[in-house]
Amino acid sequence: MKVAVLGAGAIGAYVGAALHRAGAEVHLIARGEHLAAMRRSGVRVLSPRGDFTAHPRATDDPYEVGPVDYVFLGLKANSYAAAGPMIRPLLHETTGIIAAQNGIPWWYFHRLPGPYQGHVIQSVDPGGAVTAALPLERAIGCVVYAATEIEAPGVIRHLEGTRFSIGEPDGSLSPRCTAFSGAMVAGGLKCPVEADLRRDIWIKLMGNIAFNPISALTRATMAGICRHRHTRDLVVTMMRETVEVARRVGCDPAISIERRLAGAERAGEHKTSTLQDLEKGKPLELDVILAAVVELADLTGADVPTLRAIHAVADLLDERVRQDLAATG
């Protein structure tokens, strides 16, 4: 099995190291000091489950890699539309693209029976730009339940969780999913193939849609948001509105809000990825997490006043971050 990890950051390098340990031919595509360190010394994984070092190939040029069986996307979803030139050299006739993203994926309504089959969510796939870069027939969904961070260039700190749920848009238990799952398991990770991955997407999104923008707006950790009575109530309201949208597009997350909130609270003094991006001056990954659900509410007629309000102020914050980034070059 030949796998390219495009965007071999904290999650991508962790997955690549695990697959390499399982015997797959792995190519990490990265840049900067992190790439230089991985070329020099491999990927060092520090984990409560045991430290290890892997030495997959690392490059910044996908043409050096050539066609692969799977592309594992470790990029932020707001980078997908521009990823076409990096993806194309990695594709052969049957290459699968495994998108490890938060929020609503561009393939969400692909092969989903019902009134919205084939519908394009513009906040996720504006003008079909993501579909042009990542063809729908290649898409394999992935919901990540692992937390990692880059502790130093080439060094990945695994904090918790090893589950990477994957699934086909049409719900089939395909040979390509089964094969990739087997390689992940051999590398020490959990990788169930789900017949209804959309349920996992909404369960994770229930937390992301509330904690990510609130953390960016308040600079608070997940535990801090939960401890404060008013923000805790705000999270509950946002989760309720999100579940209503999910049900209107035919998916029942089948988890109580109390249980989902308790799971988030156990994360403790954890900074969400959106807060981390804000602190680094990076654009915020809010389109697929928040704007997409507001757009689906418009599509289905769901009443989501709280989601709309948080989206308005978070979108303004993201606009200012992008302006600052443009001004500093």
Side-chain angles (χ1 to χ4, degrees):
M1 179 185 294
K2 185 177 179 181
V3 181
V5 178
L6 180 56
I11 286 292
Y14 177 59
V15 168
L19 289 170
H20 183 269
R21 185 166 62 165
E25 180 186 338
V26 177
H27 298 260
L28 305 180
I29 302 173
R31 60 187 179 182
E33 293 182 6
H34 185 52
L35 169 60
M38 293 190 294
R39 278 174 162 165
R40 183 172 60 250
S41 305
V43 180
R44 177 71 173 157
V45 176
L46 307 177
S47 171
R49 306 174 71 246
D51 301 346
F52 70 96
T53 301
H55 295 271
R57 297 171 180 137
T59 181
D60 59 359
D61 184 1
Y63 284 95
E64 289 184 6
V65 179
V68 298
D69 300 310
Y70 299 92
V71 177
F72 184 91
L73 283 183
L75 303 170
K76 293 283 189 180
N78 52 17
S79 300
Y80 285 2
M86 296 289 284
I87 288 276
R88 281 191 288 273
L90 304 172
L91 303 180
H92 60 52
E93 188 174 326
T94 61
T95 302
I97 298 174
I98 300 167
Q101 70 160 95
N102 287 322
I104 302 294
W106 82 101
W107 54 262
Y108 190 86
F109 289 115
H110 178 55
R111 295 185 177 176
L112 179 64
Y116 306 116
Q117 181 168 279
H119 179 79
V120 177
I121 306 169
Q122 290 298 320
S123 52
V124 171
D125 188 9
V130 175
T131 294
L134 311 175
L136 290 169
E137 65 273 11
R138 297 186 182 275
I140 297 171
C142 179
V143 179
V144 178
Y145 296 93
T148 60
E149 61 185 19
I150 298 177
E151 184 160 296
V155 181
I156 305 300
R157 172 71 66 178
H158 171 230
L159 302 172
E160 63 176 354
T162 60
R163 182 178 162 197
F164 294 77
S165 297
I166 63 173
E168 295 282 358
D170 66 0
S172 63
L173 304 181
S174 66
R176 67 179 184 175
C177 281
T178 302
F180 186 79
S181 171
M184 293 279 277
V185 171
L189 304 179
K190 297 177 181 177
C191 189
V193 181
E194 302 287 356
D196 185 9
L197 191 69
R198 290 175 180 85
R199 182 168 100 55
D200 286 53
I201 288 170
W202 283 103
I203 288 173
K204 187 172 183 186
L205 183 56
M206 285 171 66
N208 287 149
I209 201 169
F211 286 101
N212 285 51
I214 292 174
S215 68
L217 291 164
T218 64
R219 311 304 200 270
T221 64
M222 292 178 71
I225 292 168
C226 290
R227 281 194 301 268
H228 189 271
R229 179 168 62 88
H230 297 301
T231 52
R232 187 185 185 95
D233 290 345
L234 182 60
V235 167
V236 170
T237 300
M238 293 176 74
M239 286 187 177
R240 284 177 180 154
E241 292 181 2
T242 301
V243 169
E244 177 61 23
V245 175
R247 288 172 176 160
R248 290 194 179 214
V249 294
C251 185
D252 189 343
I255 186 172
S256 71
I257 289 173
E258 291 74 19
R259 183 179 171 190
R260 188 65 186 87
L261 185 62
E265 194 168 13
R266 284 194 297 272
E269 304 303 330
H270 172 67
K271 293 182 179 181
T272 69
S273 59
T274 304
L275 177 54
Q276 292 178 50
D277 285 343
L278 178 67
E279 291 178 340
K280 295 173 184 175
K282 295 181 177 180
L284 309 183
E285 190 185 31
L286 292 175
D287 286 346
V288 295
I289 291 174
L290 185 52
V293 179
V294 173
E295 184 178 335
L296 292 178
D298 290 337
L299 179 68
T300 61
D303 187 23
V304 293
T306 308
L307 294 181
R308 291 185 192 282
I310 296 297
H311 174 241
V313 291
D315 191 55
L316 176 57
L317 175 61
D318 183 43
E319 184 178 298
R320 293 189 62 185
V321 169
R322 291 172 189 269
Q323 289 172 348
D324 291 345
L325 188 61
T328 58

